[in-house]
Amino acid sequence: MARGARLGRLAAGQAARGLGTRVAMVGRTEQARARLATRASMQTAQQIVTVLGGMKGAAMKLGQMASVLDLDLIPEDSREMFRVKLAELCDSAPEVTFAQMRAVIEADLGPLARTFADFDERPVAAASIGQVYRARLHDGRMVAVKVKYPGVDRAVHADLRNLRFFRNLLGAFLPSAGDVDVLDEISTNIAAELDYRREARSQHRVASRYRDHPFILVPDTIAALCTDNVLVTEFVEGLPFHQTRHLTEAERDRVGELVYRFYITGMFRDGEYCADPHPGNIILAEDGRVGFVDFGLYSTIAPEARELERRVLRAAAEERPDEIEALWRGRGIITEDSAITGEDCLDYVWSASGWHLFDEELTVTPAIATSAVVLATDPRAPDHRAVRRLILPPEHVFSRRAELFTLTCLGRIGASGNWHRLAREWLYDEAPATEIGRGADGWSPGARPR
């Protein structure tokens, strides 16, 4: 009840300010802009950080989801302040004392000295579910030790029982969030982050798939040390993703292509994917490979759902609006009594996904990324009033999240590429068009998922 009341007060405050603030959208993806009053922007950032950040759990996870929206949302003179406040949700979650976290580790693994030869008490990362530490095993291997916050399971489940408040918070970003099936899908995936044994199995499967890959690195789990509350994996040494924006243009483009291949191509090729693309989960390893960590939000997408997305995107790329409308009506995304036209559907798909339907070189900027997220998740923009009541299929909630958040990652480093040529590999089953793609295509994986 206490957690629900805090969320309710936050939602009420947001709604009151929304009456005096209007978001104006202009044009398609690369032109969409939002104008929020500076004072309202900072009040929003302060409230989100204070309320959600202090709560951790599922509430804080939703705050982190919102924080990937980049700075084109607010006036230029307050962008940096807004970025810093929201970054607190992603990079500087409130820390629990090491004494408390040590008690969690030792309850599952026994005395610290018996398992680890050396253990750095300073967390290298802190997030919504737990903290990550650097340690060394007695055999010399460096490992990352992910530990749940004490009581976080109870906190998350309390948040998920208060979904009526989340509906108010999510409504600003995702109008269809009031749908019961969509909320159930969100609940299931967020709750799955608590299952460290499941995460360990998922990460091991992906690490096996990419073992000895020439361009991509996924650290494997140390199975004997993975428990209900502790997850131990190989440690990836390297450059944090946000620092790669200082690299040369060619190096940033290379990183960007690999990010796309891991999160997007992998989803359509393998039918399973990491639903949490985030700058904090990407590392440029010392050997030049791009490393990916954190598999708590790991999902599967059924063949029929994948095929629907592929058919819609192919129809959009080939300017066949009536086919998109027919596919969406057949799936129930458009209701029978809706006046939505094929052209409405085509415009909407291009606004959200046009970045990898556009068959030319495109540099992803923060403005493009933010615009795509806003237009995809809130079709109340003037250009998309007709699609205001699209019914989002639950099985597509996190696959769309993966696509859009991958785009925001690319925008953070200004990566360039012909994303459509990469997409054609999974849209049309074409051969790779890039040197990286051909190199990866000729590589024999260490193990395929069973």
Side-chain angles (χ1 to χ4, degrees):
M1 289 178 64
R3 294 173 68 79
R6 294 172 72 184
L7 286 171
R9 288 194 294 272
L10 172 59
Q14 291 295 92
R17 272 195 303 283
L19 293 175
T21 303
R22 292 291 178 263
V23 179
M25 296 297 182
V26 181
R28 287 191 172 182
T29 305
E30 69 278 7
Q31 296 172 315
R33 293 292 185 270
R35 293 294 179 235
L36 300 178
T38 301
R39 182 178 178 184
S41 300
M42 293 314 300
Q43 286 177 333
T44 297
Q46 292 278 1
Q47 279 199 304
I48 289 175
V49 171
T50 301
V51 178
L52 299 186
M55 293 173 69
K56 305 184 181 71
M60 184 175 163
K61 172 57 69 175
L62 292 172
Q64 289 176 337
M65 290 180 184
S67 73
V68 301
L69 296 178
D70 223 298
L71 308 179
D72 211 45
L73 281 172
I74 60 176
E76 187 173 357
D77 59 358
S78 60
R79 288 177 187 175
E80 182 61 20
M81 290 186 293
F82 193 82
R83 184 196 65 76
V84 169
K85 291 305 298 182
L86 287 183
E88 292 180 28
L89 285 173
C90 301
D91 304 322
S92 303
E95 295 180 4
V96 176
T97 66
F98 181 69
Q100 294 173 281
M101 301 302 279
R102 178 173 184 155
V104 175
I105 299 170
E106 293 189 332
D108 280 21
L109 297 179
L112 214 62
R114 188 173 71 189
T115 304
F116 304 100
D118 185 51
F119 199 102
D120 189 344
E121 298 182 4
R122 297 164 301 178
V124 297
S128 57
I129 304 299
Q131 291 179 175
V132 181
Y133 297 87
R134 179 188 177 115
R136 181 167 54 86
L137 300 180
H138 288 290
D139 62 10
R141 284 180 294 174
M142 298 304 300
V143 293
V145 184
K146 185 176 177 180
V147 188
K148 279 187 194 174
Y149 294 118
V152 73
D153 295 73
R154 186 170 62 253
V156 168
H157 288 298
D159 290 341
L160 295 179
R161 286 193 296 270
N162 284 314
L163 277 178
R164 64 183 179 277
F165 297 111
F166 285 132
R167 290 169 70 174
N168 292 333
L169 287 168
L170 286 172
F173 300 102
L174 184 65
S176 60
D179 183 84
V180 173
D181 291 336
V182 170
L183 290 176
D184 286 345
E185 182 74 6
I186 293 172
S187 297
T188 299
N189 279 273
I190 290 180
E193 276 204 282
L194 297 169
D195 190 345
Y196 273 14
R197 293 185 187 274
R198 174 184 179 272
E199 180 176 350
R201 292 191 298 271
S202 296
Q203 184 160 343
H204 174 66
R205 185 167 64 252
V206 182
S208 297
R209 179 183 304 145
Y210 285 97
R211 184 169 294 128
D212 300 323
H213 193 281
F215 309 119
I216 290 173
L217 170 64
V218 176
D220 206 348
T221 54
I222 313 297
L225 301 180
C226 294
T227 67
D228 292 336
N229 301 295
V230 181
L231 178 66
V232 181
T233 72
E234 298 167 337
F235 195 91
V236 179
E237 301 278 3
L239 190 69
F241 181 75
H242 70 273
Q243 292 185 21
T244 64
R245 67 177 182 269
H246 303 302
L247 300 177
T248 66
E249 181 179 342
E251 291 171 320
R252 296 198 312 274
D253 294 348
R254 175 182 175 276
V255 170
E257 178 175 343
L258 291 170
V259 168
Y260 183 98
R261 289 186 176 279
F262 182 78
Y263 286 123
I264 305 295
T265 304
M267 175 166 59
F268 286 95
R269 182 194 62 204
D270 302 316
E272 54 184 62
Y273 61 97
C274 180
D276 203 16
H278 187 276
N281 297 337
I282 306 169
I283 303 164
L284 180 57
E286 291 180 338
D287 64 5
R289 290 184 292 175
V290 177
F292 297 90
V293 301
D294 196 336
F295 293 83
L297 273 177
Y298 197 74
S299 301
T300 60
I301 180 168
E304 58 271 19
R306 272 189 289 164
E307 186 56 26
L308 174 64
E309 293 198 19
R310 283 163 49 121
R311 291 181 66 185
V312 167
L313 289 171
R314 285 198 298 263
E318 297 163 16
E319 299 286 332
R320 290 185 275 111
D322 292 343
E323 183 174 339
I324 301 174
E325 181 186 355
L327 288 168
W328 280 359
R329 288 191 184 277
R331 177 58 183 81
I333 296 172
I334 303 174
T335 58
E336 292 183 5
D337 60 347
S338 173
I340 293 175
T341 68
E343 288 296 332
D344 293 329
C345 299
L346 181 65
D347 281 348
Y348 181 52
V349 173
W350 266 91
S351 288
S353 299
W355 64 285
H356 54 186
L357 302 180
F358 183 62
D359 192 8
E360 290 185 27
E361 181 96 356
L362 175 69
T363 299
V364 181
T365 65
I368 288 176
T370 294
S371 300
V373 173
V374 171
L375 288 173
T377 57
D378 188 356
R380 288 172 291 189
D383 283 0
H384 301 297
R385 293 190 189 281
V387 293
R388 173 69 178 87
R389 298 194 178 278
L390 288 177
I391 301 173
L392 181 68
E395 66 271 20
H396 292 262
V397 171
F398 280 85
S399 62
R400 293 285 54 73
R401 180 182 189 272
E403 177 188 344
L404 291 168
F405 283 21
T406 298
L407 180 62
T408 66
C409 288
L410 300 177
R412 291 288 179 91
I413 63 172
S416 299
N418 187 322
W419 310 106
H420 182 66
R421 287 292 134 183
L422 302 183
R424 293 187 74 89
E425 295 176 30
W426 51 266
L427 268 180
Y428 297 96
D429 296 318
E430 290 186 356
T434 68
E435 183 178 347
I436 288 176
R438 288 187 289 271
D441 198 44
W443 164 78
S444 178
R448 297 303 297 175
R450 293 188 296 272

